[in-house]
Amino acid sequence: MLKFEHFRFDATTGQLTGPDGQVYLRQKLVQLLDYLLTHNDRAISKEELLGELWQHGAYRERSLAQSILELRKALGDSASDPRFIRTVPGKGYQWICQVEKPETVEQAHTPTPLRSGKYRYGLIASALLLICALALYAVTGTQTQSPPQTQSLATSLEQTTGLRVMVIPFDDQTYSSAMQWIEYGLSDMLAGDLAAIPGISVVNPANASVLISAQSPSAPTTPRAWAALLQQHQIDRAITATVRLSGKSQLFEYQIIDPLGDSERGTLQRDDLAVAMPEIASSLHQILWPDQDAIELPPYGYTPSAMHDYARGIQALQLEGALLAQHYFAASVQIDPGHLWSLTYLGICQLLLGDWERAEQQLSHVLAQASEPQLLNFSKIWLAMLRVRQGDTSQANVLLATTEDAKTPQLAAARLQIQALIAARHQNWPLVDTLRQQASTLAPASNGPLLPGLAELSEPGQPSPRQPSAAGTQAVDNLRVLGQKPALLSVLLTQAQQPTLSLPQRQQRLEQASTLTQQLGQPYEQIITMIIRARQAHELGQHQAAQTTLKAAYVLATELKATSLLTVIERSQHVADEG
């Protein structure tokens, strides 16, 4: 057992314990840390480290540099202001922190990091689409208690993350109307396959787009800009790609960028990139993480044409919303009834479009048929979201309790966000903040507004939805340029309730949101716009207009059976009566 600063390291077990508990290190980092600690009296050359710790291979030097970067990150160290590992120009690296060998070191009791080898090798976009959509400050009731072990779950999952990779929406240069699903559909397939590899946490294309939209409608174009973006969000690698046609083949021209702005490029050629995506992800994994054993992801078990319609549905959901996307998912299921991910997304579209009975039928069917843990947990989370909208938070909690084996950062963050939404309905604002912060720790951008526009209401006299990083005026303009209507709706509904904006500004945002709800065909959001409009009328002293709007909203909420909104409307009517 060795001790340095606030850390304890046991080379025998590979366990590193810090001030916040156990810190996960993959095996190569354990070996590297052990070698640096036991040779701390001198600078160690790169050649020595490569010779002692790496087998011969073409990627050894890049792997060493990456491992040093990861180890510094795990220790909270910095290359520019090192506390532990100093780069010695022209020589290599040296451990510079004092190392102690205490005679007796009490072993701290820390929770075992949660890791799962059961990752799905399909697509994960919607899990993060859900959690990034929730503007959580909602309505009513009594105080709730913090869910047990929430903090240890967040801490433990964060420590299992070895590499954070952001997949940028692909550039479609095929000029083919038959392939207008590449930007978000194909890139989401890559994101899902990379997330199937243990130790890799993925910022999917939809989330990446929202992060980028806070500054620009397009991805960075210079190494400095890329470095700033990746460092700001603590992301280890970004993947961009351009897709072109070459005869009957498809070209995948990729670029992998690190936090220093350095990049590596390559081209892969396949007959069908959608079918070949597991193979492509396996190849990129070797470049992202060269010192790891090669991984060969199994091929998809779906009909290719069903996969193409699935990808078209993802693309449509991101840009145009559920009205269009539902048709692609339905076509995918018709071609291949076993494509349960398409069936799940069809249920999600029906939820958004207000057909809650059919949405429940589809999601329940998936739960009865699916065996894949990621799909099961994902479907339960969406069904819990439906229960929350119906006002049945008890059943929502029951569903969330059965997703405790959702150990990937994305699904764990989704569970935390739904718990935060329930806490908000009980006006437990400190718990809401805690849960959202933990979700943000697990999954980058988990507090930003994103598809599919699951905006919620703030209650008069209570905190308004917190201004997300991507919710400024610039983000609104950029999302318009990107054509992302559902994400734009979430931002506009959030801004329509922001007290920092003037009433005319909030009215303008609301009118824009109202137009979008009509285009998207989302009745729940339409009712929300009516409630906000009534509150704005009350703010202007137009009490009769406020009551008229609330009555109309009550009728729609009754038809939808949105019990959660009926409670809000009744309270707002009481406020308007007093006015």
Side-chain angles (χ1 to χ4, degrees), residues 294-434:
I295 290 179
E296 184 176 346
L297 294 173
Y300 298 138
Y302 306 125
T303 304
S305 57
M307 293 166 52
H308 295 162
D309 277 329
Y310 178 98
R312 291 184 180 97
I314 294 293
Q315 178 93 0
L317 188 61
Q318 176 70 20
L319 299 178
E320 297 295 334
L323 268 175
L324 177 60
Q326 65 175 333
H327 300 297
Y328 291 122
F329 294 128
S332 177
V333 173
Q334 186 173 7
I335 295 169
D336 187 347
H339 201 305
L340 293 181
W341 278 92
S342 286
L343 186 61
T344 302
Y345 273 93
L346 180 59
I348 292 168
C349 289
Q350 291 163 344
L351 186 158
L352 296 172
L353 297 173
D355 192 349
W356 289 0
E357 184 176 349
R358 291 183 64 195
E360 182 173 353
Q361 291 174 356
Q362 307 287 20
L363 293 172
S364 298
H365 180 76
V366 171
L367 293 180
Q369 297 295 322
S371 59
E372 184 181 343
Q374 184 108 340
L375 176 56
L376 286 168
N377 288 320
F378 175 59
S379 300
K380 290 176 184 177
I381 286 169
W382 271 98
L383 194 54
M385 183 69 231
L386 175 59
R387 295 289 181 251
V388 170
R389 289 191 167 197
Q390 292 171 328
D392 191 352
T393 56
S394 296
Q395 184 60 32
N397 277 322
V398 170
L399 286 163
L400 293 176
T402 63
T403 65
E404 289 300 320
D405 62 335
K407 298 171 183 176
T408 66
Q410 293 82 7
L411 283 180
R415 185 169 67 246
L416 289 168
Q417 285 283 29
I418 296 292
Q419 289 173 336
L421 183 56
I422 295 171
R425 296 216 179 279
H426 294 279
Q427 295 186 330
N428 192 341
W429 310 114
L431 178 57
V432 171
D433 275 341
T434 299

Side-chain angles (χ1 to χ4, degrees), residues 116-269:
S116 172
K118 298 180 179 179
Y119 291 77
R120 63 172 253 90
Y121 22 84
L123 303 116
I124 63 166
S126 201
L128 286 176
L129 300 187
L130 168 63
I131 64 175
C132 295
L134 301 176
L136 294 169
Y137 291 94
V139 292
T140 73
T142 57
Q143 295 289 311
T144 60
Q145 298 299 317
S146 175
Q149 299 181 342
T150 301
Q151 181 61 49
S152 62
L153 172 67
T155 301
S156 180
L157 279 166
E158 180 187 12
Q159 291 163 354
T160 68
T161 301
L163 196 67
R164 275 187 170 175
V165 179
M166 179 165 66
V167 179
I168 309 299
F170 294 163
D171 181 16
D172 179 9
Q173 293 293 323
T174 63
Y175 304 107
S176 170
S177 59
M179 299 187 69
Q180 291 181 350
W181 44 268
I182 286 174
E183 183 181 12
Y184 288 98
L186 190 65
S187 59
D188 190 79
M189 297 175 88
L190 175 61
D193 284 323
L194 289 175
I197 300 172
I200 293 184
S201 176
V202 178
V203 181
N204 71 354
N207 284 345
S209 181
V210 168
L211 286 177
I212 291 170
S213 72
Q215 284 87 33
S216 169
S218 59
T221 57
T222 66
R224 177 177 295 182
W226 273 116
L229 177 68
L230 298 184
Q231 291 174 17
Q232 177 185 355
H233 299 291
Q234 297 183 332
I235 295 169
D236 300 307
R237 298 291 186 275
I239 299 176
T240 68
T242 297
V243 176
R244 307 180 194 275
L245 296 179
S246 177
K248 294 183 179 181
S249 297
Q250 300 168 9
L251 298 180
F252 183 79
E253 302 171 352
Y254 65 85
Q255 181 182 17
I256 299 176
I257 308 158
D258 68 20
L260 300 179
D262 296 330
S263 64
E264 179 168 341
R265 299 173 183 268
T267 300
L268 299 172
Q269 183 172 345

Side-chain angles (χ1 to χ4, degrees), residues 14-18 20-24 110-113 155-156 159:
Q15 180 171 301
L16 176 66
T17 304
D20 296 322
Q22 188 170 330
V23 180
Y24 169 74
T110 57
T112 302
T155 301
S156 180
Q159 291 163 354

Side-chain angles (χ1 to χ4, degrees), residues 59 62 66 163 190 193-194 197 200 239 252 254 256 264-270 273 276-298:
Y59 301 104
R62 183 173 65 235
Q66 179 176 307
L163 196 67
L190 175 61
D193 284 323
L194 289 175
I197 300 172
I200 293 184
I239 299 176
F252 183 79
Y254 65 85
I256 299 176
E264 179 168 341
R265 299 173 183 268
T267 300
L268 299 172
Q269 183 172 345
R270 299 292 185 273
L273 290 175
M277 193 49 68
E279 177 193 348
I280 292 172
S282 300
S283 298
L284 294 180
H285 163 257
Q286 190 62 33
I287 300 172
L288 291 165
W289 226 342
D291 63 309
Q292 295 287 293
D293 292 336
I295 290 179
E296 184 176 346
L297 294 173

